[in-house]
Amino acid sequence: MRIGLHSRRATAGAAALALLCLASHAAGGERHGTARETCTRARVTAGGSSALRDALGAGRDVLGERLIALRDGPSYAAVRRLLPPLWYAKSRGGLPLTHTGAYYLTFAHPLSLYGEKDFALHVADGSAILTRRVDGPSLTILVGDGREVYGSCLARLAPPRRAHGWLPVLRTSYVDARGVRYAQESFAGRVPGIRSLVSFVRLTVDARRAGGATALVRFVASPGSRARLVTDRHGVLDDDGARYGVRGVRVLYVAWMHSPGRGSLHLDAAAYDTALRTTERFWEGELAGGATFEVPERRVLDAERSLLVQLRILTWRYSVGNPYEELSFAEALDAARIMAGYGHEDVSEAIVRFALRRLPARFTSWRAGAVLLAAAEHYRLTRDATLLDDEEPAFAAALSRLARQVERSGGTGLLNREAFSSDVRRRVVGLHGQAVARQGLLAMGSVWERLDRPRLAARATAAGIRLGSALRAALRSSQRRLPDGSLFVPATIVEGTRPFDRLTASRDGSYWNLVMPYALASGLFDPKGLTARGIWRYIGGHGGLLLGLVRADAARLYWGEPYPASGVDQVYGLNLTRFLADADLPDRLVLSLYGTLAGAMTRDTFVSGEAATVVPLRGTRLGSMYLPPNNGTSAAFLETLRVALVHERRNARGAPVGLELAFATPRAWLRPGTTIRVEGAPTSFGEVSYVLSRRRRTVRIVLDAPQAPSLRLRLRLPRGERIERVQAAGRSVLFDAATGTIEPPSSGDRPLRLVAYVT
């Protein structure tokens, strides 16, 4: 587990160049006597962050509660108004991760899901392209007089965005210190006959409004990497790259070879357009094979598609291009479960296989449980036993190592002590790891029973049941009911941990807040029972949440700032989301969806770090992230969206017992003229599809669902509206007027067509 407290030092060169960039921000140009001369930072007003600072000092999520109380509940716009945009990427000690301090987008055009990949890191401000890692070969773009770093003055840089909202194609625009305008587009793709990944750049330069100035554009390669640069042959080549002098309007094309070798590239407008179309078709094809989740909110759709692309690029990696590029078991296996839920079973299988092969050397009970759980869910959602058949000896070995601990004669039934996490090496009896191990044992036991592996099934199930009983017994003597009615359950079971008054006031409290969602989502507690609700009340009343996001100590992100050392770490909101769906708390789940989108990811490019600030950095309107990109926060958003639309209800042993459709959608999604569409979503019962179309006072429902012990669908209408009646083929259908939950008839007809009348 990672929470932003463990990394390596950024390069001294990066820090030095960052200081130069800051100096250029302050100095700007001096030639034309306009506001373009200097780069003044947009400063936050004294009261601009006061609401956030006040909220950080409160025990409850006061801002989130205010949004939930709005007529239609939380919205992206409402959360966005409260939080600063994330921009800076930080490493240890607050040092910048890139030369300008901006985050980067990770592009690739993978030849397969396995093995090494070429990665292109495109810095979000358009300043540079990096090969493979932040300290790898680089191409820097200089403009103006040939010394101004493109995008270095944020006041003159338009917010970056993706082509068509979601494609891995970066678009930026910039005005240099003399008023020359630029529009840049870049992406990474493949060219026939060239094995290297290639980053393409198209830069449109418009100097017409610059008072007759000539723009000098330079593409500068890092020392020793000049051979990687390919130009459109109109520039002047020099020792470190290429330069162009531009008067009027001109379009420039360059390419950056990430692993140059055989083959040559002829670059012009036609070659660029061909490569761009190829890249677009590739990613459209990669996503076409998965399930379809369409909602009437473009930004949510763009984020969904963009993050699916990112998870297909990262697969098992926690991050790319920085010290966090590694296998972090729990987070990677959560990503595998989510990709299976979106119909990307190839990615799910690849992650599970990779983790399974590394488990023996890096074994912990938590990791073993996560592997078993992800493998079981992969089978449930795909009905493909190939993975389990191929790797049965490895899965059986993991089971044996867990079961021997639980079955130990004279033992407590608990698993052995092990490190609390990857960052905290203290050996403990951790509730989070043991709860996940129990969940994995029971899940795999059920799957092995279905696959006619009786001995494996019996041992896994028996071990899971005994472990669950031992955990509940241990917790009965260590949990504490507090005067406010909440329940404190320690994350380290037998150590006598006292409740934390404010969770983010200490490192231990922050870690408790990050790991407890694993236990809540594991099924160890009835999600609607007294214990789970008591823990939830404790989290909500002791500073565990902000705008639906999981809070944690973020001192290293603020690093000397005069603000409370608290940020958010939405990597661990993923399992909180699962609990919210299990406990049927839809307004909280909607808040988490928009909190993640507006507060834990960058605007319109959807990049996240492991942790993020929530109060603007001193003197700016911007926030920072820790070692982005991060696949955990991406997975959290995708899971939140999926369970809002398709959620499986499970029994005490984790077995699926029902389907809940559209149970936690934002109310605005069912305003008149809107449509929600789900096609081919995998579930444990088979694929489910449905369409909800709102027209004036009716909602037409087309439902194609597999047989399940329980099937319910909910219409979360705008507040003030309710269902008057529901009909199918002229017959009345049962519904709950208070919640808008419909019980479709089990007629056997597929698809089933219903009409709900709204009043």
Side-chain angles (χ1 to χ4, degrees), residues 502-630:
R502 188 64 53 81
L503 286 166
T504 57
S506 67
R507 189 169 186 255
D508 286 348
S510 287
Y511 273 83
W512 184 98
N513 202 40
L514 299 183
V515 301
M516 190 52 60
Y518 284 97
L520 284 174
S522 71
L524 179 64
F525 314 114
D526 176 359
K528 298 180 181 179
L530 291 176
T531 299
R533 291 294 182 124
I535 297 171
W536 168 246
R537 186 170 181 177
Y538 174 79
I539 294 171
H542 292 77
L545 301 168
L546 178 75
L547 291 165
L549 300 169
V550 174
R551 288 178 60 185
D553 174 30
R556 290 178 182 258
L557 281 172
Y558 287 105
W559 200 259
E561 297 285 341
Y563 301 132
S566 176
V568 294
D569 201 336
Q570 194 59 4
V571 172
Y572 303 99
L574 191 154
N575 282 288
L576 193 61
T577 281
R578 290 170 174 156
F579 165 72
L580 295 177
D582 292 340
D584 196 12
L585 297 171
D587 290 324
R588 291 288 179 177
L589 203 148
V590 172
L591 178 64
S592 181
L593 178 79
Y594 288 125
T596 306
L597 184 59
M601 292 191 287
T602 57
R603 307 277 167 86
D604 299 321
T605 50
F606 315 113
V607 175
S608 58
E610 182 186 61
T613 57
V614 290
V615 175
L617 299 181
R618 179 165 34 194
T620 77
R621 294 184 182 274
L622 302 172
S624 66
M625 301 170 285
Y626 192 80
L627 291 174
N630 183 275

Side-chain angles (χ1 to χ4, degrees), residues 199-218:
S199 282
F200 293 87
V201 179
R202 180 178 65 196
L203 185 65
T204 302
V205 185
D206 185 351
R208 290 175 297 182
R209 297 188 229 174
T214 297
L216 177 58
V217 179
R218 297 175 59 210

Side-chain angles (χ1 to χ4, degrees), residues 414-495:
L414 295 173
L415 297 165
N416 296 339
R417 289 176 175 268
E418 58 190 29
F420 185 92
S421 73
S422 298
D423 293 331
V424 180
R425 305 308 300 172
R426 187 175 79 251
R427 298 182 70 80
V428 300
V429 180
L431 173 61
H432 48 296
Q434 305 232 356
V436 171
R438 167 197 170 272
Q439 188 182 12
L441 287 166
L442 291 175
M444 190 61 95
S446 175
V447 167
W448 271 326
E449 182 177 7
R450 188 168 185 172
L451 294 175
D452 196 25
R453 305 289 196 277
R455 293 181 63 184
L456 292 171
R459 192 177 190 193
T461 301
I465 292 172
R466 185 176 183 191
L467 177 56
S469 298
L471 284 169
R472 294 186 188 95
L475 289 173
R476 279 193 291 271
S477 61
S478 59
Q479 64 190 24
R480 290 182 57 181
R481 184 71 63 176
L482 303 182
D484 62 5
S486 66
L487 182 69
F488 175 74
V489 173
T492 52
I493 298 173
V494 296
E495 294 189 355

